[in-house]
Amino acid sequence: MEDINEQRTQRIQKLETLRAMGIQPYGTRFDETHQIQPLVDSYGSKTKEELEHDTIECRTAGRIVALRRFGKAAFASLQDGAHRLQVYLKKDVLGEDSFRLSQELDLGDWVGVEGHLFRTKTDELTIEVQNLTFLSKGLRPLPEKWHGLTDIETRYRQRYVDLIANPAVHKIFETRSRLITGIRNYFTEQGFLEVETPMMHPIPGGATARPFVTHHNALDTDLYLRIAPELYLKRLIVGGFRRVFEINRNFRNEGISTIHNPEFTMLEFYQAYADYNDLMALTEDLFGKLAQDVCGTTKLEYQGQIIDLTPPWRRLPYFEAVLEYNRFDRTVLENRKAAEAAAKQLGLAIPKDATLIGIVNMIFEETVESKLIQPTFITDYPTEISPLSRRKDSDPSLTDRFELFITSRELANGFSELNDPIDQRQRFEAQVAQREAGDEEAHYLDEDFVRALEYGMPPTAGEGIGIDRMVMLFTNQASIRDVILFPQLRPEKPS
RNA sequence: GAGCCGCUAGCUCAGUUGGUAGAGCAUCGCCCUUUUAAGGCGAGGGCCGAGCGUUCGAGUCGCUCGCGGCUCACCA
């Protein structure tokens, strides 16, 4: 089972050496005066003379990631998160016992150091260590210092090693966390209340997707991991919460790709008395502020392109978009035969029972989405493919809805919410008919949700933003696996 | 699910027309009190993803399987 290699065996032997020296190889608390990054931030600009004149004493801790030994001295690089600082271990200063301990150190071990800052001959900020505290032993060798860990499978399966060996990866996940904190602050400051709704649903709803199924033994009932929190959040609006948001996982039982992970993080927020135009303005403002705060600019570099998040963003009605990116005329949008002919010309396989809108939507996905590099709101989606959205007053076949595309990917979906319970029931029934016709992704009829609407929901606008894809954009990552700490992989086979 | 590519030491990678499996880093020993891919001398470390075949002989050729990546299909 466990791979036993030479280096690991040697290190296990070192545990005994340490114990024989009276050192606990798995220690306990250590008081730091500084973490490494603040230490470097505070004193990194001090000159050699300043550090000699005003002695800076400090205690800090980290993992040894580089070690350059001489006979009676050594330099080590201490890593804390994504940051490193050099320490100098000198026999004269450490004393006999501590120096002997320093001779036993391996790459990967955790230590605490106490000493003062100085600059070396080559002007590197360094701690001259007076006291060395052993904190924890590493038994496995770290990846090579120069190339690090590059094997993609190992990076995902053993993310802890990736994080040690690749500080840039550490920074991506710090950025992810900062973005999510920024989102929380943004909504909280605007009077939104963060709520938690069920992850396990008796009826999966709020999106068109296939769910994961699980079983509750005591209730003896199947439950579905949620595909979206939407219907629960709207129940809260019915209940009188004016503004709510939730940031959490959705689960969809579908393929895995560079932009799909079976569990992914979604922000959904709902605002009473607002409409979809308010949401588009809010989204521009949110992205702009996050970009400015986290990246220092609203012009982001993404995979060799500059994505300009400066508002306002382009708004393009759905049908206009289909016409703009194709050569055919308007009859394709109005006549099923014309639509089918156009689709065939594009090489699309059209199911026999496909509706006009169904065909147009296939054309949209095939010809429009890939062109939407810069932020674009596609608006006014057909009612037929928007079963939870409010109809347009000017044209009930369309809805007050938009999807946001950036770098050809859907990042957000928002709309004025359908709050007419009678219309909602009819839309659900149309979905149920589609499901019975074989569409596994069509919505279920959620009787309790309709009942909630019957109690009256104020006019409301709601939106979902795919956080992982947003993080990809802000951190310039091409694969969703590089912004999810533990992406879904096939289980490692037991060896 | 399909196509293409990859899998060799702890890590990063070589490996010729099929002929005894290599390097750098890491590890171990010795030397070295300002190095930073430290340096010098020496040493150990391999089920070449798994299996089956072809062959006198397979890391190398063929087939099957496993895992991963990318593209496509489905999807957010």
Side-chain angles (χ1 to χ4, degrees):
Chain A
M1 180 64 202
E2 278 301 292
D3 55 308
I4 303 295
N5 62 55
E6 187 190 15
Q7 294 191 45
R8 189 163 165 271
T9 308
Q10 286 162 350
R11 287 178 177 219
I12 288 172
Q13 283 165 359
K14 280 200 184 178
L15 288 176
E16 295 315 315
T17 307
L18 289 173
R19 289 196 173 105
M21 292 167 72
I23 287 158
Q24 160 63 275
Y26 296 102
T28 180
R29 70 189 304 280
F30 181 80
D31 273 322
E32 292 174 286
T33 57
H34 303 75
Q35 294 175 25
I36 282 171
Q37 185 187 7
L39 205 51
V40 173
D41 287 349
S42 302
Y43 305 109
S45 58
K46 296 264 189 211
T47 64
K48 187 176 189 124
E49 290 71 28
E50 285 169 330
L51 290 172
E52 277 169 13
H53 188 261
D54 309 313
T55 310
I56 312 293
E57 298 287 345
C58 56
R59 286 164 66 87
T60 192
R63 186 195 308 268
I64 297 168
V65 291
L67 204 47
R68 295 172 290 278
R69 287 185 216 275
F70 301 84
K72 297 184 182 62
F75 287 95
S77 299
L78 225 54
Q79 178 167 291
D80 176 40
H83 304 278
R84 292 181 176 190
L85 179 62
Q86 181 170 267
V87 302
Y88 185 39
L89 303 158
K90 192 171 159 187
K91 190 172 184 181
D92 297 349
V93 178
L94 276 172
E96 194 75 40
D97 287 354
S98 284
F99 186 72
R100 226 189 105 214
L101 167 61
S102 80
Q103 296 291 89
E104 295 299 324
L105 298 177
D106 284 317
L107 294 179
D109 292 350
W110 294 87
V111 295
V113 296
E114 177 173 15
H116 68 269
L117 288 172
F118 76 108
R119 283 190 181 278
T120 62
K121 274 184 187 168
T122 51
D123 213 34
E124 174 146 351
L125 187 70
T126 304
I127 300 176
E128 183 174 284
V129 179
Q130 272 121 32
N131 286 303
L132 177 68
T133 307
F134 194 87
L135 295 177
S136 187
K137 185 74 195 161
L139 296 182
R140 291 176 184 253
L142 297 182
E144 190 221 11
K145 63 188 168 194
W146 192 241
H147 301 91
L149 178 68
T150 63
D151 181 79
I152 292 168
E153 185 172 354
T154 310
R155 286 188 45 227
Y156 296 154
R157 286 199 197 278
Q158 294 178 255
R159 182 68 92 182
Y160 39 89
V161 183
D162 189 27
L163 290 166
I164 296 165
N166 300 311
V169 172
H170 199 283
K171 288 198 173 128
I172 287 168
F173 290 103
E174 282 180 3
T175 301
R176 179 180 173 120
S177 183
R178 281 213 306 280
L179 282 165
I180 291 173
T181 300
I183 292 166
R184 279 214 162 84
N185 291 341
Y186 182 90
F187 282 96
T188 303
E189 280 162 16
Q190 301 209 18
F192 285 79
L193 198 68
E194 184 169 10
V195 296
E196 293 169 279
T197 62
M199 311 293 281
M200 301 166 83
H201 291 183
I203 300 167
T208 51
R210 287 209 295 229
F212 287 92
V213 192
T214 186
H215 188 79
H216 191 284
N217 291 337
L219 296 176
D220 189 25
T221 189
D222 281 344
L223 292 170
Y224 301 88
L225 300 189
R226 75 176 185 193
I227 55 175
E230 170 151 358
L231 302 184
Y232 284 92
L233 291 169
K234 283 195 276 200
R235 285 170 168 98
L236 297 178
I237 302 289
V238 169
F241 288 104
R242 301 170 61 115
R243 296 183 174 196
V244 293
F245 74 104
E246 181 166 10
I247 300 175
N248 219 319
R249 233 65 65 80
N250 289 349
F251 306 87
R252 298 191 185 174
N253 204 341
E254 288 153 358
I256 295 175
S257 77
T258 49
I259 53 169
H260 298 93
N261 194 63
E263 52 179 310
F264 63 101
T265 300
M266 182 79 111
L267 158 70
E268 285 205 13
F269 56 97
Y270 290 80
Q271 180 176 356
Y273 315 122
D275 71 7
Y276 77 131
N277 287 304
D278 297 315
L279 296 183
M280 287 190 276
L282 182 153
T283 304
E284 289 171 339
D285 185 53
L286 171 66
F287 274 63
K289 287 195 164 123
L290 289 174
Q292 200 57 248
D293 285 356
V294 172
C295 307
T297 172
T298 52
K299 293 183 171 65
L300 304 181
E301 187 182 339
Y302 187 77
Q303 306 291 305
Q305 307 175 94
I306 299 297
I307 304 299
D308 189 353
L309 297 177
T310 312
W313 300 341
R314 189 173 188 212
R315 299 176 191 203
L316 181 63
Y318 180 85
F319 284 135
E320 299 309 314
V322 174
L323 292 178
E324 178 169 327
Y325 292 101
N326 288 283
R327 286 165 192 232
F328 46 67
D329 61 70
R330 203 160 201 94
T331 55
V332 167
L333 306 177
E334 293 158 354
N335 178 291
R336 196 190 170 285
K337 277 212 168 81
E340 187 165 358
K344 280 196 172 139
Q345 223 164 19
L346 291 165
L348 297 172
I350 305 298
K352 281 194 188 69
D353 55 352
T355 61
L356 169 63
I357 296 301
I359 298 169
V360 170
N361 199 40
M362 289 176 73
I363 294 172
F364 175 86
E365 288 171 358
E366 175 70 18
T367 60
V368 179
E369 291 190 358
S370 65
K371 310 290 194 338
L372 305 176
I373 309 294
Q374 295 299 325
T376 307
F377 291 113
I378 300 293
T379 63
D380 302 350
Y381 275 70
T383 305
E384 185 181 317
I385 55 172
S386 309
L388 303 169
S389 307
R390 185 180 188 279
R391 296 179 193 269
K392 289 195 93 61
D393 288 333
S394 59
D395 180 354
S397 73
L398 301 178
T399 56
D400 286 336
R401 176 185 172 195
F402 66 86
E403 288 197 354
L404 168 64
F405 291 87
I406 307 178
T407 65
S408 308
R409 292 171 196 148
E410 187 193 329
L411 261 81
N413 177 22
F415 40 88
S416 301
E417 300 297 335
L418 174 59
N419 61 348
D420 173 345
I422 294 167
D423 191 5
Q424 182 66 79
R425 174 179 294 280
Q426 287 166 356
R427 304 252 206 118
F428 273 142
E429 282 167 353
Q431 291 287 315
V432 169
Q434 277 185 39
R435 170 165 290 277
E436 283 165 359
D439 181 354
E440 285 187 65
E441 293 179 352
H443 292 236
Y444 291 85
L445 170 52
D446 188 331
E447 286 286 357
D448 177 69
F449 176 66
V450 176
R451 178 167 65 186
L453 292 186
E454 288 182 356
Y455 279 91
M457 183 170 85
T460 298
E463 179 173 345
I465 297 178
I467 296 301
D468 311 284
R469 291 180 180 180
M470 183 189 206
V471 176
M472 288 169 71
L473 173 66
F474 280 82
T475 58
N476 191 15
Q477 293 303 302
S479 171
I480 201 167
R481 294 181 202 96
D482 291 319
V483 300
I484 291 175
L485 281 165
F486 300 99
Q488 204 54 244
L489 298 178
R490 211 176 285 271
E492 204 172 358
K493 79 178 161 191
S495 54

